[in-house]
Short mmCIF file of all heavy atoms in Angstrom, two decimals:
data_model
loop_
_atom_site.label_atom_id
_atom_site.label_comp_id
_atom_site.label_asym_id
_atom_site.label_seq_id
_atom_site.Cartn_x
_atom_site.Cartn_y
_atom_site.Cartn_z
N LEU G 714 120.14 121.32 21.83
CA LEU G 714 118.77 121.73 22.13
C LEU G 714 118.37 123.05 21.47
O LEU G 714 117.24 123.21 21.01
CB LEU G 714 118.58 121.87 23.65
CG LEU G 714 118.65 120.60 24.48
CD1 LEU G 714 118.70 120.94 25.96
CD2 LEU G 714 117.47 119.70 24.17
N LYS G 715 119.30 124.00 21.44
CA LYS G 715 118.95 125.37 21.04
C LYS G 715 119.50 125.78 19.68
O LYS G 715 119.05 126.78 19.13
CB LYS G 715 119.45 126.37 22.09
CG LYS G 715 118.95 126.09 23.50
CD LYS G 715 117.46 126.26 23.59
CE LYS G 715 116.98 126.02 25.03
NZ LYS G 715 115.55 126.22 25.19
N GLY G 716 120.49 125.05 19.15
CA GLY G 716 120.98 125.35 17.82
C GLY G 716 122.25 126.19 17.78
O GLY G 716 122.87 126.49 18.80
N HIS G 717 122.58 126.58 16.56
CA HIS G 717 123.82 127.33 16.28
C HIS G 717 123.87 128.63 17.08
O HIS G 717 122.86 129.31 17.24
CB HIS G 717 123.90 127.64 14.77
CG HIS G 717 125.09 128.47 14.42
ND1 HIS G 717 126.36 127.94 14.41
CD2 HIS G 717 125.20 129.78 14.09
CE1 HIS G 717 127.21 128.90 14.08
NE2 HIS G 717 126.53 130.01 13.87
N GLY G 718 125.04 128.95 17.57
CA GLY G 718 125.24 130.19 18.31
C GLY G 718 124.90 130.09 19.79
O GLY G 718 125.03 131.07 20.52
N ARG G 719 124.48 128.95 20.22
CA ARG G 719 124.14 128.76 21.63
C ARG G 719 125.06 127.69 22.20
O ARG G 719 125.46 126.81 21.47
CB ARG G 719 122.68 128.33 21.77
CG ARG G 719 121.68 129.32 21.21
CD ARG G 719 121.45 130.54 22.06
NE ARG G 719 120.88 130.27 23.36
CZ ARG G 719 119.59 130.08 23.59
NH1 ARG G 719 118.71 130.15 22.62
NH2 ARG G 719 119.16 129.84 24.82
N PRO G 720 125.43 127.76 23.41
CA PRO G 720 125.05 128.77 24.38
C PRO G 720 125.79 130.09 24.16
O PRO G 720 126.84 130.12 23.51
CB PRO G 720 125.45 128.14 25.72
CG PRO G 720 126.64 127.30 25.37
CD PRO G 720 126.35 126.76 23.99
N ILE G 721 125.25 131.14 24.72
CA ILE G 721 125.89 132.45 24.68
C ILE G 721 127.08 132.44 25.63
O ILE G 721 128.14 132.97 25.31
CB ILE G 721 124.89 133.56 25.12
CG1 ILE G 721 123.66 133.57 24.22
CG2 ILE G 721 125.56 134.92 25.15
CD1 ILE G 721 123.93 133.84 22.76
N MET G 722 126.90 131.87 26.80
CA MET G 722 127.96 131.78 27.81
C MET G 722 128.29 130.31 28.04
O MET G 722 127.40 129.46 28.01
CB MET G 722 127.50 132.39 29.14
CG MET G 722 127.19 133.86 29.08
SD MET G 722 126.85 134.57 30.72
CE MET G 722 125.52 133.55 31.33
N PRO G 723 129.57 130.00 28.32
CA PRO G 723 129.93 128.61 28.60
C PRO G 723 129.34 128.13 29.93
O PRO G 723 128.97 128.93 30.80
CB PRO G 723 131.46 128.63 28.64
CG PRO G 723 131.84 130.04 28.83
CD PRO G 723 130.72 130.89 28.31
N ALA G 724 129.26 126.83 30.08
CA ALA G 724 128.61 126.21 31.24
C ALA G 724 129.18 126.69 32.56
O ALA G 724 128.43 126.92 33.51
CB ALA G 724 128.70 124.69 31.13
N ASP G 725 130.49 126.84 32.67
CA ASP G 725 131.06 127.25 33.95
C ASP G 725 130.59 128.65 34.35
O ASP G 725 130.33 128.92 35.51
CB ASP G 725 132.59 127.13 33.96
CG ASP G 725 133.28 128.01 32.93
OD1 ASP G 725 132.68 128.31 31.88
OD2 ASP G 725 134.44 128.39 33.18
N GLU G 726 130.43 129.54 33.37
CA GLU G 726 129.93 130.88 33.66
C GLU G 726 128.44 130.86 33.99
O GLU G 726 127.99 131.55 34.91
CB GLU G 726 130.19 131.81 32.48
CG GLU G 726 131.65 132.11 32.27
CD GLU G 726 131.91 133.01 31.07
OE1 GLU G 726 130.96 133.65 30.56
OE2 GLU G 726 133.09 133.07 30.64
N ARG G 727 127.67 130.05 33.26
CA ARG G 727 126.23 129.93 33.57
C ARG G 727 126.03 129.36 34.96
O ARG G 727 125.18 129.83 35.72
CB ARG G 727 125.54 129.07 32.50
CG ARG G 727 125.49 129.76 31.15
CD ARG G 727 124.77 128.97 30.08
NE ARG G 727 125.60 127.90 29.56
CZ ARG G 727 125.32 126.61 29.60
NH1 ARG G 727 124.18 126.20 30.13
NH2 ARG G 727 126.13 125.70 29.10
N ALA G 728 126.84 128.37 35.32
CA ALA G 728 126.75 127.78 36.66
C ALA G 728 127.10 128.81 37.72
O ALA G 728 126.44 128.89 38.77
CB ALA G 728 127.66 126.56 36.76
N ARG G 729 128.09 129.62 37.47
CA ARG G 729 128.50 130.64 38.45
C ARG G 729 127.39 131.66 38.69
O ARG G 729 127.12 132.04 39.82
CB ARG G 729 129.77 131.33 37.98
CG ARG G 729 130.32 132.28 39.00
CD ARG G 729 131.78 132.60 38.76
NE ARG G 729 132.22 133.46 39.84
CZ ARG G 729 132.62 134.72 39.67
NH1 ARG G 729 132.65 135.24 38.46
NH2 ARG G 729 133.01 135.44 40.70
N VAL G 730 126.73 132.07 37.62
CA VAL G 730 125.62 133.03 37.75
C VAL G 730 124.47 132.40 38.54
O VAL G 730 123.94 133.01 39.47
CB VAL G 730 125.15 133.52 36.36
CG1 VAL G 730 123.87 134.31 36.46
CG2 VAL G 730 126.25 134.36 35.70
N VAL G 731 124.09 131.20 38.19
CA VAL G 731 122.99 130.51 38.89
C VAL G 731 123.35 130.30 40.36
O VAL G 731 122.53 130.53 41.26
CB VAL G 731 122.64 129.18 38.19
CG1 VAL G 731 121.74 128.31 39.05
CG2 VAL G 731 121.98 129.45 36.85
N ALA G 732 124.58 129.88 40.63
CA ALA G 732 125.00 129.62 42.01
C ALA G 732 125.01 130.88 42.87
O ALA G 732 124.91 130.79 44.09
CB ALA G 732 126.39 128.97 42.01
N ALA G 733 125.10 132.03 42.24
CA ALA G 733 125.11 133.29 42.99
C ALA G 733 123.72 133.71 43.47
O ALA G 733 123.61 134.59 44.32
CB ALA G 733 125.72 134.40 42.13
N LEU G 734 122.68 133.09 42.94
CA LEU G 734 121.32 133.43 43.35
C LEU G 734 121.05 132.89 44.75
O LEU G 734 121.34 131.72 45.04
CB LEU G 734 120.31 132.88 42.35
CG LEU G 734 120.44 133.41 40.92
CD1 LEU G 734 119.48 132.68 40.00
CD2 LEU G 734 120.20 134.91 40.88
N GLY G 735 120.48 133.69 45.58
CA GLY G 735 120.26 133.32 46.98
C GLY G 735 119.38 132.12 47.21
O GLY G 735 119.46 131.48 48.25
N VAL G 736 118.52 131.76 46.25
CA VAL G 736 117.62 130.62 46.44
C VAL G 736 118.29 129.28 46.12
O VAL G 736 117.74 128.23 46.42
CB VAL G 736 116.32 130.75 45.60
CG1 VAL G 736 115.53 131.97 46.02
CG2 VAL G 736 116.63 130.76 44.11
N VAL G 737 119.48 129.32 45.54
CA VAL G 737 120.17 128.10 45.09
C VAL G 737 121.14 127.63 46.17
O VAL G 737 121.95 128.41 46.68
CB VAL G 737 120.91 128.36 43.76
CG1 VAL G 737 121.71 127.13 43.33
CG2 VAL G 737 119.93 128.78 42.68
N ASP G 738 121.06 126.34 46.51
CA ASP G 738 121.96 125.77 47.53
C ASP G 738 123.14 125.01 46.92
O ASP G 738 124.21 124.98 47.52
CB ASP G 738 121.17 124.84 48.45
CG ASP G 738 120.13 125.61 49.24
OD1 ASP G 738 120.52 126.42 50.10
OD2 ASP G 738 118.93 125.43 48.97
#
């Protein structure tokens, strides 16, 4: 979707950051 050099962070790290947000169940 985004091209060369993406993602900046791997999926497991992106998921961990998103899961830490209080609005996410």
